[in-house]
Amino acid sequence: MNHGDSLFFRQYARKEQNQQGFTNLLLVGLGDAKRVTHETIRRASATAFKNLKANSVKSVTIAVETLPLTAKNKEENLRAVFEGFYLSEYTFEIYKSVPNKSNAKETPKMKVSILTSLAGNTTSAKSAEKEARIVAEAVNFARTIGDTPGNEMNPPILGETTKKAATGTGLKVTIWDGARIKKEKMGNLHGVSLGGGEDPRLIIMEYKGGAKSKKPICFVGKGLTFDSGGISLKPGAGMEEMKYDMMGGAAVIATMLAIAKLKLKVNVIGIVPSSENMPGPFANKPGDITTARNGKTTEVNNTDAEGRLILSDALVYASEQKPEFIVDAATLTGAMVMALGDVHTGFFSRDTKLTQKITKAAAASGETLWEMPMHEEHLKDMKGTYADLQNVSQRRGAGSAQGAIYLGEFVEKDIPWAHFDIAGTAYNNGHRLPYTPAKGASGVIVRTFVELAKQHK
């Protein structure tokens, strides 16, 4: 294959369609037409991108009319083909010493265009391409801050990176430092931060695209930039992956950026509590008791269950905003990895209507979710001996449900709420998805969160 333009077709290329002067034709089969979904197309597009990249193709024109398009699936299928391309572009080579000091941000991207000589879907395709590019860029941004090592992406840097990324988008970004966090009585977030050398942050992002009378929706994400386990130290093997413990926060930041750039007519608040969890001399000790913003106390029986602590204060703050609903995302439990592996993201909710919204949003995004059970018996497991709650249960099993129901204690009961445990899907699942890096951050749940905002009326 030469390095010139390529024309990407789904199943066939007619002679008269190649009179545009294209050097190469790439034919991509989608299998049984009755079983084709937008996720099929997204994955096929990613596979095509990898083939083109391997052959050093610099530009590609996509003949969208060869895709299976009906009134029902046109928007989703058009968007999927471009998402497959743009999600597959992601690389992270900023810290590699190579000739000319190649930087991932400076790597030339493959030029993608739409074949406009065919009648029918040009306007729709261009609109789909624009939306897909915005969402994919947001996902890739989440991947970038996730792949960045902990010494280069600590809480203060995460805050400044968020501010910089939000410039010109219409987002209002407010950042609380450690002194403000302590003053605001966020004792759980403050307590976790005491073991690290870096000052914590609470990142608050506000977008006002809807009517002033409309309640906002809230996204909350765990921004633990590195997790050593604290005094309850993790095993050394694989600890380097704990830079990904902030992927819930990364997803929320990326979601807010996408919502603002898409100019959605909705009011949204994004909240990211960010800290390190280190075994410093002032760190939480097993048996310590901390007090959250809502006054509830917690026995910290395992300092490695810190994610629920920093999220608890953020969820109390989110509840104070009187939102329509709250969803949070966190790499919360290894138990979720044992339950669902790296295929499904597990989510918990006690609200039927919100669960229906989430299921619909996931179907539109192509991300794979699984609803998990949460029972009042799990709450009994989390009751403390010397405090209101304990951050881990002494009972074995159901660790993900116990973590979820602990978080629910910091959400006002009349506010619909859902918790997403992305521990198994946040990184290293490229063997499952061709548009995800083989190793590194996946940017999971951004697409579903954007769909939740799009579908909110």
Side-chain angles (χ1 to χ4, degrees):
M1 182 177 286
N2 296 325
H3 296 181
D5 280 2
S6 287
L7 180 62
F8 171 33
F9 276 91
R10 180 173 65 93
Q11 291 174 322
Y12 60 88
R14 296 200 301 267
K15 181 179 179 181
E16 60 267 27
Q17 290 174 329
N18 196 34
Q19 292 176 352
Q20 307 291 324
F22 296 103
T23 307
N24 310 289
L25 298 178
L26 178 61
L27 311 181
V28 181
L30 296 178
D32 186 349
K34 294 180 181 179
R35 302 180 66 180
V36 171
T37 66
H38 60 89
E39 179 62 10
T40 308
I41 294 172
R42 189 176 288 106
R43 296 186 186 196
S45 181
T47 300
F49 176 89
K50 290 181 178 179
N51 182 283
L52 295 168
K53 185 177 180 180
N55 286 277
S56 302
V57 172
K58 297 177 182 178
S59 61
V60 60
T61 300
I62 301 174
V64 294
E65 284 77 7
T66 65
L67 293 165
L69 301 174
T70 66
K72 184 178 180 180
N73 66 23
K74 181 173 73 173
E75 180 182 349
E76 290 179 342
N77 286 1
L78 285 172
R79 193 170 68 244
V81 71
F82 296 109
E83 283 183 354
F85 257 73
Y86 294 134
L87 289 170
S88 300
E89 283 185 333
Y90 178 76
T91 59
F92 188 78
E93 300 176 345
I94 298 173
Y95 296 99
K96 288 188 175 181
S97 298
V98 295
N100 300 321
K101 201 143 186 178
S102 175
N103 184 304
K105 296 178 181 179
E106 298 169 356
T107 302
K109 303 295 185 182
M110 191 182 301
K111 183 180 179 182
V112 179
S113 58
I114 303 164
L115 188 63
T116 57
S117 61
L118 301 177
N121 295 299
T122 301
T123 301
S124 296
K126 288 184 177 179
S127 175
E129 187 276 334
K130 181 180 179 181
E131 181 175 337
R133 180 164 32 84
I134 289 172
V135 173
E137 285 176 353
V139 173
N140 290 341
F141 179 79
R143 290 169 171 176
T144 298
I145 58 179
D147 283 334
T148 303
N151 62 321
E152 297 281 343
M153 189 55 67
N154 56 40
I157 296 174
L158 181 61
E160 290 305 311
T161 300
T162 301
K163 269 189 173 181
K164 184 177 179 180
T167 302
T169 64
L171 285 167
K172 178 184 176 182
V173 179
T174 305
I175 299 178
W176 293 358
D177 62 10
R180 177 71 183 272
I181 287 167
K182 185 177 180 180
K183 181 180 179 181
E184 294 287 344
K185 298 182 179 180
M186 292 188 167
N188 285 354
L189 173 56
H190 173 69
V192 171
S193 74
L194 291 175
E198 296 293 344
D199 202 41
R201 293 290 185 269
L202 184 77
I203 302 168
I204 304 165
M205 307 174 75
E206 299 173 79
Y207 172 76
K208 297 179 179 179
K212 290 183 179 180
S213 59
K214 292 290 185 180
K215 289 183 177 181
I217 60 177
C218 275
F219 295 104
V220 180
K222 172 186 172 184
L224 214 292
T225 57
F226 188 80
D227 181 17
S228 71
I231 297 297
S232 306
L233 195 66
K234 292 178 180 290
M239 194 191 288
E240 71 279 359
E241 293 183 348
M242 288 302 99
K243 67 178 182 177
Y244 296 119
D245 213 16
M246 45 81 73
M247 289 311 300
V252 168
I253 294 167
T255 296
M256 295 299 296
L257 292 171
I259 288 170
K261 291 177 181 179
L262 290 169
K263 294 180 170 53
L264 301 185
K265 297 185 182 301
V266 62
N267 298 325
V268 192
I269 301 173
I271 305 166
V272 178
S274 183
S275 175
E276 294 178 326
N277 186 27
M278 300 294 286
F282 301 105
N284 279 338
K285 303 174 295 296
D288 283 359
I289 295 177
T290 58
T291 305
R293 182 175 172 87
N294 65 350
K296 289 188 177 181
T297 55
T298 298
E299 296 171 32
V300 184
N301 290 336
N302 188 320
T303 65
D304 194 23
E306 85 300 323
R308 62 200 67 183
L309 293 173
I310 71 170
L311 281 171
S312 63
D313 281 323
L315 288 170
V316 173
Y317 181 81
S319 296
E320 293 169 357
Q321 311 313 306
K322 305 300 179 185
E324 193 73 31
F325 64 80
I326 300 171
V327 294
D328 74 71
T331 47
L332 201 75
T333 64
M336 183 57 66
V337 184
M338 297 302 293
L340 298 180
D342 57 4
V343 177
H344 295 83
T345 291
F347 78 95
F348 300 79
S349 183
R350 289 176 287 206
D351 189 275
T352 302
K353 289 184 178 179
L354 180 55
T355 296
Q356 292 172 345
K357 290 178 181 178
I358 289 168
T359 302
K360 183 179 178 182
S365 75
E367 294 189 301
T368 308
L369 308 185
W370 193 269
E371 184 181 2
M372 299 292 290
M374 186 169 55
H375 196 276
E376 287 305 310
E377 292 296 324
H378 295 134
L379 182 58
K380 293 181 182 178
D381 295 342
M382 301 305 290
K383 292 295 185 181
T385 302
Y386 305 104
D388 298 321
L389 299 162
Q390 55 186 344
N391 73 330
V392 293
S393 172
Q394 307 308 312
R395 293 185 178 274
R396 297 182 62 185
S400 296
Q402 291 166 348
I405 208 160
Y406 173 90
L407 292 176
E409 290 299 289
F410 299 90
V411 179
E412 293 294 333
K413 299 305 180 185
D414 60 339
I415 300 175
W417 159 76
H419 162 63
F420 291 75
D421 193 332
I422 61 173
T425 54
Y427 55 94
N428 295 354
N429 62 353
H431 61 296
R432 302 288 187 193
L433 303 170
Y435 49 79
T436 299
K439 184 174 176 60
S442 67
V444 72
I445 223 61
V446 173
R447 285 154 42 204
T448 297
F449 279 6
V450 171
E451 287 293 334
L452 265 176
K454 283 174 60 180
Q455 295 173 11
H456 183 66
K457 304 296 183 183

